[in-house]
Amino acid sequence: MGTSAIATLREIILEVVRYTAQGQWKVLVLDETSKRLVDSVVKQNDILQEKVTNIEQIEHKRALDQDLVAVYLLTPDPHIVEWLIMDLERRRYHRSHLVWTSFLPPELRQRIEQSSTAKEIAQDRILNINFFPDESHLITFRDPSSFPVLFHPACNQLVPKHMYDLAQRIVSVCVSLEEYPTIRYYRPHSPLHEAGVLCSHLARFVQEGLDQHAKHHGDFPPPSSRPRGVLIITDRSMDLFAPLLHEFTYQAMVHDLLPLKQGDRPYYKTVLNEGTSREEVKEMELGEQDKIWVQNRHMHMKDLLQKLVADFNKFRADNPQFAENLEGSTSISTIKDMIAGLPQFQEGKELYSLHLNMSQELMNIFQKCRLTDVALVEQSMAVGLDEDYKRPKNLTDQIVRLLDDDEVNFPDRLRLIIEYVLYRDGIFRSDMEKLLAHARLPAQDGEILQNLEMLGARVFRPLKDAKHTLQPLFPRKPPAAEAMDDLSLSRFEPAIKGLLEEQLRGTLDQNLFPYTKPFLDSNEGTRNQVNVSQASLRSAKPTWARTRPSASEPRQRVIIFMAGGATYSESRVCYEVSDSSTRDIYLTSSHMLHPGLFLRQLGELSVDRRLLDLPADRPKPKPPACLYEKDVATSNIASQSPGATMEPRNNRPATSADTSIETVELSQKPHPLPSPPFVVATPPTGKLSKGPKEKKRGFFKF
């Protein structure tokens, strides 16, 4: 499957811990945000193996230990910089090494350099790791507030800074993957919304950021035989059906239909050992460590239950010593084998129980809510053709019958109406009122429909306007006749799939997806980008290559950034195209959407901005009280500090390195470290450093 973004970020973090203050025992100090980032890819025990005595948080009360070196891995936010200066003033540690997760703005760097604590800093480095790899090829920024900032009418003055932040994060993804890609962006033909220029501005900022980074880092990109990558920037308005339709693959259904506990990682509450004396209710994580989840999350539900049962029976057959009806054994070797395999067996048993319970619950909901009938209508509207791949007939009557059906829940009724509006490219206002009356939806749901206009959809059509339906961006050919029955509920494919297929064929429309830079080679735009290697980037000497590289050749990377949130159906097709094309495809977005979240965020586009609780509107964080308290000895704080992730080790040997640390001034170039290189992302031009004055202007006019 190619290079995992999780493994890449994990290695970067471990190497900076390993080689900063190399050979010395150290404390790793994080902030709340950087801790989330580290915890997402690295186990605490792996960090402690790198001569780290303790993992602490700057917001929490900590011990005074002036015999230790501190490595601060922090987020470059203004309040974190202020807290750092306050922390350094206490001279809590022997010396301090600073590592920032992303570019440190010049004004914050100046604030540190001008403080009295600058001499306490041994080294100052910058990484590009301000993103979260949720899966091996799925990267998010875990920032749902990006959607209202980009599309809410009252957030206009927040857009420039937010675009800069997005660009910096996208640059971080490219730099961490060691890619200096060509950049293409979505440019709709006749945009109806003011945010229609979102992608062009964002692509320009990313291009400037990458160019500046390459200018200041002569070793970027590192020499490689891998073909030059491609970055495609698009936004949610390109495909409004994807976050609305019922998708019947496992991962998408779980996030759509089940009551997950959402956070940095999703959890599902299930009952284990049901009906026995060992019955318990347990919250279980759905993540990369769950091999059953990883192997089956993109499988269609019609095949999943049968496979899960077969896999579980094989699991039990492979572990006969744990069969529940096994008589007590007196064989010493059998007992030893049982003890050795017990943790793995118990974990596997719980995982199978989790997924069998979830899949059964999904099927119950599928039948109870009449999702077969709902999905048939949805697919006809999204594809523009019925299950026989002919123009759908009596579609309005079918929708009205479903809206009147008590077994169809209210969110599904709203989804049907929105999909009908998209399919018809707008409807008459009187028809909208009739549909809402049939659905018995509250009046505020009418506002959700009108908010579609902010994403480029046409909601209402004038009376004299000719009837027409919205044509798909990437029309697909009907499948073979024998496959039609199996695909009746899954005929729709997200627009990203057509985009990727045309990009890999070299036929992606350059008017719809232009490049940020003109080609140095006239044929470059029509080929698959596979003929431009990282090593030949500056010489621009084209080398001919095969359209489909062999399995042993380095895989070209295609990075898709979806502004405004991506869906799990889009993640699925990225994996599928990657598997079928021998390319590494990474889907990147601000956050992941499921239908419930998309409807909520769509509705919030018409509420008062003050009710959105945007990060930019929150009060400035106050310094934690512990920064004002008197320091105490390690022995007095070890048992009470909530900030200590792990207890300090008592067996740390004393070394001469603890008292002989070379001083490196903040302004000096830090000592070189092994690969991956530590990089500083220089920001795009000053257009983003200062937001525009508050004036009455439209979106993205800056």
Side-chain angles (χ1 to χ4, degrees):
M1 189 61 198
T3 304
S4 166
I6 295 176
T8 297
L9 190 58
R10 178 180 184 275
E11 188 60 26
I12 291 174
I13 292 173
L14 286 180
E15 285 201 355
V16 75
V17 174
R18 183 180 303 133
Y19 294 110
T20 301
Q22 188 174 4
Q24 304 172 49
W25 287 93
K26 67 202 82 170
V27 174
L28 179 63
V29 183
L30 308 172
D31 60 62
E32 182 179 0
T33 302
S34 64
K35 185 178 186 302
R36 289 175 59 208
L37 191 154
V38 171
D39 288 347
S40 69
V41 293
V42 185
K43 295 180 179 178
Q44 293 179 4
N45 190 56
D46 293 336
I47 295 176
L48 295 173
Q49 297 302 316
E50 304 296 342
K51 301 200 77 171
V52 174
T53 66
N54 205 13
I55 304 173
E56 303 177 341
Q57 269 188 250
I58 195 170
E59 299 94 340
H60 294 169
K61 192 171 184 178
R62 286 163 287 132
L64 180 69
D65 196 337
Q66 296 181 342
D67 294 330
L68 280 177
V69 175
V71 178
Y72 288 86
L73 179 56
L74 302 176
T75 309
D77 291 333
H79 67 281
I80 295 296
V81 169
E82 294 300 325
W83 297 356
L84 169 68
I85 293 174
M86 295 175 65
D87 205 50
L88 293 176
E89 287 174 347
R90 305 174 79 89
R91 291 176 172 79
R92 190 184 303 276
Y93 307 106
H94 182 69
R95 291 305 299 273
S96 300
H97 297 254
L98 304 187
V99 182
W100 302 100
T101 60
S102 62
F103 173 73
L104 181 66
E107 62 273 15
L108 297 183
R109 178 174 296 279
Q110 185 178 17
R111 174 75 179 91
I112 296 174
E113 291 175 343
Q114 293 178 349
S115 70
S116 60
T117 62
K119 60 181 181 295
E120 301 296 322
I121 301 170
Q123 289 180 325
D124 177 20
R125 295 169 178 163
I126 294 177
L127 300 181
N128 283 274
I129 58 172
N130 53 335
F131 57 88
F132 296 88
D134 293 338
E135 298 174 11
S136 64
H137 286 65
L138 175 61
I139 298 169
T140 70
F141 304 151
R142 296 183 181 174
D143 183 17
S145 67
S146 180
F147 184 90
V149 170
L150 292 175
F151 297 107
H152 196 291
C155 294
N156 182 34
Q157 71 274 23
L158 301 180
V159 171
K161 183 181 184 303
H162 185 65
M163 295 276 277
Y164 167 74
D165 292 339
L166 288 178
Q168 282 291 304
R169 288 174 177 245
I170 297 171
V171 169
S172 291
V173 172
C174 295
V175 170
S176 294
L177 293 175
E178 299 182 341
E179 287 289 343
Y180 191 178
T182 57
I183 302 177
R184 306 185 72 167
Y185 60 92
Y186 175 50
R187 183 174 64 186
H189 290 305
S190 301
L192 300 176
H193 59 310
E194 292 183 280
V197 295
L198 184 160
C199 295
S200 62
H201 283 300
L202 184 56
R204 175 167 56 87
F205 298 152
V206 174
Q207 185 70 70
E208 291 176 354
L210 284 170
D211 291 347
Q212 289 291 325
H213 182 81
K215 178 180 177 181
H216 291 89
H217 298 80
D219 57 351
F220 176 77
S224 171
S225 59
R226 183 177 62 249
R228 187 181 183 186
V230 181
L231 168 64
I232 303 176
I233 295 176
T234 184
D235 71 87
R236 188 66 272 157
S237 67
M238 184 185 76
D239 185 356
L240 293 176
F241 276 109
L244 291 167
L245 262 68
H246 286 86
E247 160 100 0
F248 296 121
T249 51
Y250 188 31
Q251 183 181 38
M253 284 191 76
V254 165
H255 284 272
D256 183 7
L257 303 179
L258 295 184
L260 298 181
K261 180 182 178 181
Q262 297 286 358
D264 286 348
R265 299 181 180 92
Y267 287 83
Y268 181 72
K269 185 181 293 185
T270 189
V271 179
L272 302 176
N273 305 309
E274 189 172 4
T276 70
S277 59
R278 294 173 296 163
E279 179 176 318
E280 65 171 320
V281 177
K282 186 175 181 179
E283 284 188 346
M284 300 186 67
E285 179 186 342
L286 304 176
E288 295 298 288
Q289 79 291 339
D290 183 346
K291 301 305 179 185
I292 300 174
W293 173 253
V294 173
Q295 292 170 5
N296 298 293
R297 61 189 170 199
H298 299 144
M299 181 172 287
H300 198 282
M301 280 300 298
K302 66 182 178 62
D303 304 316
L304 178 66
L305 267 174
Q306 184 177 356
K307 183 177 184 298
L308 282 177
V309 171
D311 288 348
F312 180 64
N313 290 333
K314 182 179 183 301
F315 172 74
R316 294 187 61 183
D318 292 341
N319 297 273
Q321 69 272 31
F322 297 111
E324 293 179 356
N325 58 351
L326 188 68
E327 297 293 336
S329 175
T330 58
S331 169
I332 298 297
S333 61
T334 301
I335 294 175
K336 285 184 176 180
D337 290 342
M338 290 176 65
I339 293 174
L342 185 59
Q344 293 83 353
F345 176 81
Q346 185 62 30
E347 180 184 1
K349 183 179 176 182
E350 289 184 356
L351 289 176
Y352 276 110
S353 177
L354 166 70
H355 292 290
L356 287 168
N357 289 348
M358 285 202 307
S359 56
Q360 185 59 58
E361 181 63 20
L362 289 173
M363 294 308 299
N364 293 340
I365 296 173
F366 179 85
Q367 296 170 359
K368 178 182 178 181
C369 297
R370 294 194 57 184
L371 292 187
T372 300
D373 297 330
V374 171
L376 282 172
V377 175
E378 284 185 332
Q379 293 289 317
S380 296
M381 291 188 289
V383 178
L385 302 169
D386 62 16
E387 56 266 36
D388 297 321
Y389 283 84
K390 298 178 180 178
R391 185 174 180 179
K393 298 180 180 179
N394 304 319
L395 201 53
T396 304
D397 293 339
Q398 296 178 52
I399 292 174
V400 169
R401 282 197 294 271
L402 289 172
L403 297 179
D404 290 336
D405 194 325
D406 290 336
E407 292 184 350
V408 178
N409 61 43
F410 289 104
D412 285 350
R413 299 180 198 183
L414 179 59
R415 288 161 71 173
L416 281 169
I417 296 176
I418 295 175
E419 291 155 359
Y420 182 66
V421 170
L422 296 175
Y423 165 68
R424 296 296 301 271
D425 193 24
I427 61 177
F428 299 137
R429 191 175 294 272
S430 58
D431 290 342
M432 174 77 74
E433 295 171 354
K434 293 176 183 177
L435 291 174
L436 290 172
H438 277 284
R440 287 161 286 170
L441 294 174
Q444 56 265 34
D445 285 349
E447 294 183 5
I448 296 178
L449 288 158
Q450 294 188 45
N451 291 346
L452 286 168
E453 294 179 347
M454 301 175 198
L455 274 71
R458 185 164 73 156
V459 178
F460 297 114
R461 193 171 67 231
L463 291 175
K464 296 183 179 180
D465 193 23
K467 291 184 179 180
H468 66 281
T469 57
L470 190 64
Q471 296 301 314
L473 204 58
F474 302 100
R476 306 188 65 83
K477 296 180 180 179
E482 59 271 16
M484 285 187 177
D485 291 340
D486 292 338
L487 295 174
S488 60
L489 298 182
S490 303
R491 287 169 280 142
F492 171 80
E493 290 287 11
I496 275 186
K497 185 169 186 178
L499 185 161
L500 286 169
E501 290 173 342
E502 293 202 11
Q503 167 64 30
L504 298 183
R505 286 196 298 263
T507 58
L508 187 60
D509 187 352
Q510 293 189 39
N511 291 318
L512 190 59
F513 286 89
Y515 291 81
T516 55
K517 282 189 172 183
F519 301 121
L520 298 178
D521 175 59
S522 59
N523 294 322
E524 188 176 350
T526 58
R527 297 198 297 270
N528 295 340
Q529 307 294 325
V530 299
N531 61 322
V532 182
S533 70
Q534 297 278 18
S536 64
L537 176 62
R538 290 180 175 83
S539 61
K541 295 179 180 178
T543 56
W544 295 99
R546 291 180 292 276
T547 300
R548 184 182 178 88
S550 65
S552 61
E553 293 178 343
R555 296 161 63 101
Q556 184 196 24
R557 291 168 175 168
V558 180
I559 304 170
I560 303 283
F561 178 75
M562 175 69 75
T567 69
Y568 291 100
S569 60
E570 290 166 335
S571 172
R572 169 183 59 82
V573 299
C574 287
Y575 280 100
E576 291 174 351
V577 175
S578 182
D579 290 340
S580 64
S581 66
T582 66
R583 308 295 203 281
D584 270 350
I585 298 175
Y586 298 86
L587 177 62
T588 308
S589 186
S590 55
H591 63 297
M592 296 305 292
L593 288 169
H594 54 80
L597 176 59
F598 181 66
L599 290 177
R600 178 171 66 81
Q601 291 198 310
L602 191 60
E604 289 175 347
L605 294 182
S606 55
V607 305
D608 191 304
R609 171 178 155 178
R610 292 171 293 181
L611 301 177
L612 298 178
D613 189 31
L614 298 176
D617 294 336
R618 294 171 188 164
K620 180 182 177 181
K622 296 180 179 180
C626 63
L627 293 180
Y628 298 103
E629 295 176 359
K630 183 178 180 180
D631 289 319
V632 295
T634 303
S635 58
N636 295 335
I637 196 173
S639 61
Q640 64 183 4
S641 170
T645 311
M646 300 289 293
E647 293 294 332
R649 295 181 178 178
N650 296 321
N651 60 347
R652 177 175 65 87
T655 64
S656 59
D658 288 337
T659 57
S660 60
I661 301 175
E662 179 183 1
T663 300
V664 180
E665 295 297 334
L666 186 67
S667 59
Q668 287 181 304
K669 183 178 180 181
H671 294 306
L673 296 184
S675 176
F678 293 93
V679 290
V680 181
T682 305
T685 56
K687 297 174 183 177
L688 279 179
S689 59
K690 296 181 179 179
K693 296 181 179 179
E694 294 188 11
K695 295 181 179 179
K696 294 182 178 179
R697 26 172 104 176
F699 285 161
F700 308 104
K701 294 180 181 179
F702 51 85

